[in-house]
Amino acid sequence: MSDILVIGGGIIGLLTARELVQGGAAVTLVELGETGRESSWAGGGIVSPLYPWRYPDSVTALARWSQRLYPKLCADLTAETGIDPELTANGLLILDPQELEPALAWAATHGTEVQLIDSVQLHEAAPELAVRPPTAMLLPAVGNVRNPRLVKAARRALEGRIALREQEEVHAILAADGRVAGVRTSRGLIQADQVVVCTGAWTARLLDPLGQRPDIAPVRGQMLLFKGRPGQINYTTLWREHYVIPRRDGRVLVGSTLEQTGFVKEATAQGRESLQRAAVELYPHLAHTPIEAHWAGLRPGAPGGIPYIAPVPGTAGLYVNAGHYRNGIVTGPASARLVADLLLGRDPVTDPAPYALDAPRLSDGGAGASSLRSGR
């Protein structure tokens, strides 16, 4: 029997398992399908919340800690596996004029660099860009990772270090006398004295039979990938809730829609058209660039965008690390460290109180099960 059982093999589960192994625990990870193939694979990989000033300080705390760790994390994963997550610090360019005042106030509070760029400077920096507000903002330190490569590297780094069980569905969490005992899966029983649930949008379903249902629900997001050429787009660009991300090889990722469709994950023609229109408004040359792929994923939305990273009340040994909404990549390292601290009895890397299951969460701060505000 492993010391700790991790349920869910997205980036949150993989990084949680990594932190636990590095802390000396024996770990089993169970994943319904293939590791990293749900929202972790489907997202954009921006190592920042979109419009970060819209989020509570509890989300900012996780994001900033993770941002500081990312260069070392990616370097370590590359050295361990030979898979480079392609962390690229090309900056986040924001074109929405109405965001200027709150952005500058947030930046002053948190000590974040924001550069103001006039339309002439913007043309020089991004000549392909068609949208030129009088003043744009650049967060120069913001990078992005190629998230499919990140999850591949995280999985590869765990091979031989944990018991990895893919294509195995967890049907129920087992408890006795107020304590977790393990899980019942499609292949039988797995005993465990400590279990951490990292199942994203599916978390509420799994915990509901125990009388603890976190306010997490799926929010569909569709993505579009253009097969461009290197150097055509210089910055990750954000405008009117849509973003354009240039990859090192010239591919351009465009996202994303926000749709409350339950667990329906299919991509739609309407979603494709809206993303293509947004991309071409920003960068007209994309109208003549082949579209390579179009897909959808299910984000784990939670009120205020605040994840649940905490013990589950009433069931000793049971923990949850889920509900990261659009910010699983950027907050993943800190979330994994925090839940590992709680499981292993270490001093927590940040105050865990805001992430408790019964902690107050803003109803309008971020998208979640009970509230969806445009752009969050």
Side-chain angles (χ1 to χ4, degrees):
M1 180 174 68
S2 294
D3 293 343
I4 302 172
L5 173 64
V6 176
I7 308 174
I11 192 60
I12 299 298
L14 290 168
L15 292 179
T16 295
R18 180 179 175 85
E19 284 287 346
L20 292 168
V21 167
Q22 290 178 336
V27 176
T28 296
L29 188 149
V30 180
E31 161 58 34
L32 170 63
E34 296 179 54
T35 53
R37 294 295 303 201
E38 290 292 341
S39 62
S40 303
W41 191 278
I46 301 173
V47 187
S48 171
L50 301 179
Y51 306 105
W53 42 90
R54 296 180 178 180
Y55 286 91
D57 286 347
S58 53
V59 175
T60 299
L62 295 173
R64 288 174 63 83
W65 193 94
S66 298
Q67 286 166 334
R68 290 191 293 269
L69 182 70
Y70 251 104
K72 182 178 187 305
L73 173 63
C74 290
D76 288 348
L77 288 174
T78 302
E80 293 169 27
T81 69
I83 301 172
D84 182 2
E86 295 189 5
L87 176 64
T88 304
N90 61 353
L92 177 61
L93 185 64
I94 302 175
L95 306 177
D96 305 271
Q98 73 276 12
E99 300 294 338
L100 183 59
E101 184 176 345
L104 293 177
W106 174 86
T109 298
H110 295 284
T112 300
E113 182 183 5
V114 176
Q115 297 176 1
L116 301 183
I117 304 174
D118 64 30
S119 58
V120 175
Q121 293 169 321
L122 185 60
H123 176 67
E124 293 174 352
E128 299 284 347
L129 183 64
V131 176
R132 297 200 184 99
T135 304
M137 293 178 289
L138 178 65
L139 279 65
V142 171
N144 66 81
V145 294
R146 200 153 184 168
N147 39 304
R149 296 181 65 87
L150 176 66
V151 293
K152 283 181 180 179
R155 184 196 187 282
R156 179 77 59 82
L158 289 170
E159 290 177 358
R161 303 180 68 191
I162 68 170
L164 181 59
R165 301 171 64 145
E166 294 180 296
Q167 306 293 339
E168 184 170 359
E169 182 177 3
V170 173
H171 294 306
I173 298 171
L174 307 178
D177 300 322
R179 178 164 196 89
V180 72
V183 298
R184 177 170 52 84
T185 80
S186 53
R187 299 183 192 171
L189 301 180
I190 303 175
Q191 293 181 318
D193 292 329
Q194 290 182 297
V195 175
V196 55
V197 180
C198 305
T199 48
W202 290 264
T203 299
R205 283 183 171 183
L206 199 54
L207 292 179
D208 189 41
L210 299 174
Q212 297 288 343
R213 185 180 179 90
D215 194 5
I216 299 173
V219 181
R220 186 171 71 185
Q222 300 188 48
M223 306 287 291
L224 208 57
L225 183 68
F226 291 85
K227 192 172 184 179
R229 300 192 308 274
Q232 287 185 307
I233 297 175
N234 299 324
Y235 301 102
T236 297
T237 310
L238 180 58
W239 183 57
R240 293 182 178 176
E241 319 296 345
H242 289 97
Y243 52 81
V244 173
I245 307 171
R247 301 301 198 197
R248 292 183 186 178
D249 63 3
R251 287 178 168 86
V252 177
L253 190 63
V254 179
S256 64
T257 64
L258 295 171
E259 305 168 81
Q260 289 182 310
T261 57
F263 287 93
V264 178
K265 196 175 70 172
E266 283 76 15
T268 67
Q270 182 180 3
R272 178 187 173 109
E273 291 168 5
S274 69
L275 292 172
Q276 186 174 18
R277 183 167 56 252
V280 171
E281 282 182 316
L282 278 168
Y283 292 100
H285 74 273
L286 291 176
H288 310 290
T289 303
I291 294 175
E292 186 173 1
H294 171 217
W295 65 87
L298 299 177
R299 311 178 187 90
I306 304 171
Y308 296 86
I309 311 169
V312 176
T315 307
L318 180 61
Y319 295 78
V320 63
N321 186 10
H324 297 76
Y325 187 42
R326 305 181 86 169
N327 298 316
I329 294 293
V330 63
T331 63
S335 300
R337 177 69 61 87
L338 177 57
V339 81
D341 290 340
L342 298 175
L343 280 154
L344 300 176
R346 305 183 304 209
D347 290 337
V349 70
T350 190
D351 180 10
Y355 317 105
L357 266 74
D358 57 356
R361 283 169 166 79
L362 301 175
S363 61
D364 63 349
S370 59
S371 173
L372 179 61
R373 181 175 174 180
S374 177
R376 295 297 196 267

